[in-house]
């Protein structure tokens, strides 16, 4: 017999563990299935998580897992491949190792994939010297030679943003639209040189970024390079339930895809909730955790409503007999 959990949480990052903590503390039977590759794994530390500033990502998650299991939640390593509704009796969740687990409700927190620009060498330095988020890494590269790789309409915005952390910022226009005259004036006023020669690759020394190589062979010394990944929701499990990622735009430009949900995390499929980066591309660790709690509380309310309906039906049957 397969155990029927109240909730199976797919993904054990900040969002999933936070949801699982709320549900375990609500005395729900919770199973978290986690593939173990959170988005920020390449980073040395988590920043802007109040009261846990600078904690290594793995340590934060280990503490979260201990809190969940401390309240009776179960966490298993594994990868969910698909889920399907089983009549009116919840969901059957398939794992890559061939197991199937059952759940009355699902909380899917599978995160997103950062798709990097097609410049050789970026992937090897991702999360250490190739960066995207000033709130995650800005302080750590303050005052350093920072490059901003233009690949879309936000290149100038990115250069002006990172200027807050370093006075030595260079904008590599690369494949971005050419800056307008107004933008060139702004960049000049902030002391940001503009390089129009396309970028061919990066240079390293001792495994760290040392420069940005242009197609004409020139190397511009830089110790940090900012890129704008495409943020693509890891939505395969949700797709198996009929929920597809929808393209997300910022100022008219597509920045990625996410699975839509209401403010509590409820999706268009009854019984399926989402939280974290799979539905909110800009969620940081602390906001992903907050969304997990919100969804967990909403899920518990939904289960309470069902438990009450079932109890009323049972009570009426008992009276009728
Ligand atoms: C390099 C880098 C550095 C960052 N630094 C910071 C920082 O300093 N501060 C900050 O606030 N934010 C930072 N972030 C953002 C942070 O990573 C996200 O906000 C956070 O990871 C979102 O949490 P999540 O739970 O939604 O997703 P994730 O943390 O990505 O967790 C998703 C989990 O789901 C699992 N999973 C996926 N698919 C399946 C499946 N099919 N079956 C089972 N499990 C599955 C994954 O293995 C993973 O463990 C950084 C991001 C990057 C890329």
């Amino acid at each position: 017999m397969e155990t029927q959990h109240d909730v199976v949480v797919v993904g054990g990052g900040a969002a999933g563990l936070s949801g699982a903590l709320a549900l375990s503390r609500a005395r729900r039977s919770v199973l978290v299935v986690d593939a173990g590759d959170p988005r920020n794994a390449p980073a040395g530390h988590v920043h802007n998580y109040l009261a846990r500033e600078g904690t290594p990502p793995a340590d934060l998650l280990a503490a979260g897992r201990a809190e969940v299991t401390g309240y009776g939640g179960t966490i298993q390593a594994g990868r969910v491949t698909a889920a399907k509704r089983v009549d009116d009796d919840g969901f059957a969740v398939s794992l890559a190792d061939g197991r199937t687990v059952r759940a009355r409700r699902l909380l899917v927190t599978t995160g997103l994939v950062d798709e990097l620009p097609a410049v050789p060498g970026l992937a090897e330095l991702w999360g250490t010297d190739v960066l995207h988020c000033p709130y995650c890494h800005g302080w750590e590269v303050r005052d350093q030679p920072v490059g901003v790789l233009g690949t879309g309409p936000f290149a100038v915005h990115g250069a002006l943003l990172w200027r807050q952390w370093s006075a030595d910022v260079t904008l590599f226009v690369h494949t971005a639209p050419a800056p307008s005259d107004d933008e060139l004036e702004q960049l000049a006023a902030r002391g940001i040189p503009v390089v129009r020669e396309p970028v061919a690759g990066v240079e390293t020394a001792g495994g760290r970024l040392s420069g940005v190589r242009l197609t004409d062979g020139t190397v511009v010394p830089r110790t940090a390079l900012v890129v704008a990944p495409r943020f693509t929701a890891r939505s395969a499990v949700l797709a198996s339930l009929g929920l597809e990622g929808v393209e997300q735009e910022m100022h008219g430009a597509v920045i990625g895809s996410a699975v839509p949900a209401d403010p509590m995390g409820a999706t268009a499929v009854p019984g399926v909730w989402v939280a974290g980066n799979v539905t909110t591309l800009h969620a940081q660790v602390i906001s992903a955790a907050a969304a997990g709690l919100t969804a967990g509380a909403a899920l518990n309310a939904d289960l309470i409503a069902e438990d009450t309906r079932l109890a009323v039906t049972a009570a009426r049957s008992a009276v009728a007999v």
Side-chain angles (χ1 to χ4, degrees):
M1 281 282 282
E2 298 160 357
T3 306
Q4 169 92 313
H5 302 277
D6 285 327
V7 182
V8 167
V9 180
V10 185
L17 290 175
S18 180
L21 179 60
L23 288 158
S24 300
R25 282 176 48 79
R27 312 186 73 181
R28 294 294 175 185
S29 65
V30 181
L31 170 66
V32 180
V33 182
D34 183 40
D37 54 350
R39 183 182 171 208
N40 57 346
H45 304 92
V46 176
H47 297 289
N48 277 315
Y49 197 112
L50 188 65
R52 287 282 181 269
E53 175 55 32
T55 307
D59 290 4
L60 195 72
L61 294 181
R65 285 194 292 271
E67 289 172 358
V68 170
T69 55
Y71 287 105
T74 304
I75 299 173
Q76 291 182 3
R79 185 170 292 279
V80 172
T81 53
K84 66 176 181 189
R85 184 176 288 286
V86 184
D87 304 323
D88 289 333
D89 198 22
F91 301 89
V93 180
S94 303
L95 276 65
D97 62 10
R99 283 181 294 154
T100 301
V101 294
R102 297 287 299 271
R104 295 172 67 192
R105 302 286 185 275
L106 294 180
L107 173 56
V108 180
T109 61
T110 43
L112 64 76
V113 177
D114 296 284
E115 295 174 358
L116 301 180
V119 170
L122 295 188
E124 291 81 353
L125 297 168
W126 175 237
T128 53
D129 300 328
V130 172
L131 313 169
H132 75 299
C133 161
Y135 301 98
C136 309
H137 307 282
W139 176 265
E140 282 61 44
V141 301
R142 65 193 182 283
D143 301 329
Q144 290 184 26
V146 174
V148 173
L149 180 69
T151 50
F154 301 113
V156 171
H157 166 79
L160 294 171
L161 179 67
W162 282 81
R163 175 64 181 76
Q164 174 63 21
W165 283 268
S166 174
D168 184 0
V169 173
T170 295
L171 171 61
F172 298 90
V173 176
H174 193 51
T175 59
S180 68
D181 288 347
D182 280 354
E183 289 172 330
L184 287 171
E185 184 182 23
Q186 293 167 8
L187 292 163
R190 295 295 275 149
I192 300 173
V194 176
V195 174
R196 294 172 190 273
E197 185 75 20
V199 171
V202 292
E203 297 284 315
T204 58
R208 302 300 300 262
L209 180 72
S210 58
V212 174
R213 187 169 17 88
L214 309 179
T215 47
D216 66 4
T218 308
V219 174
V220 181
R222 297 287 95 183
T223 56
L225 182 64
V226 175
V227 302
R230 186 186 196 279
F231 306 121
T232 301
R234 278 202 271 211
S235 56
V237 174
L238 292 162
S240 72
L241 290 155
L243 291 163
E244 298 290 346
V246 173
E247 283 194 338
Q248 305 291 301
E249 293 187 358
M250 190 185 281
H251 304 304
V254 174
I255 57 165
S257 65
V259 176
D262 79 4
M264 306 300 283
T267 69
V269 172
V272 180
W273 269 257
V274 289
N277 277 162
V278 73
T279 183
T280 308
L281 301 184
H282 61 261
Q284 297 284 99
V285 177
I286 202 163
S287 38
L293 164 62
T294 299
L299 268 161
N300 187 45
D302 192 52
L303 285 165
I304 287 169
E306 181 174 273
D307 291 342
T308 306
R309 277 196 306 274
L310 293 171
V312 168
T313 303
R316 285 179 183 166
S317 306
V319 170
V321 169

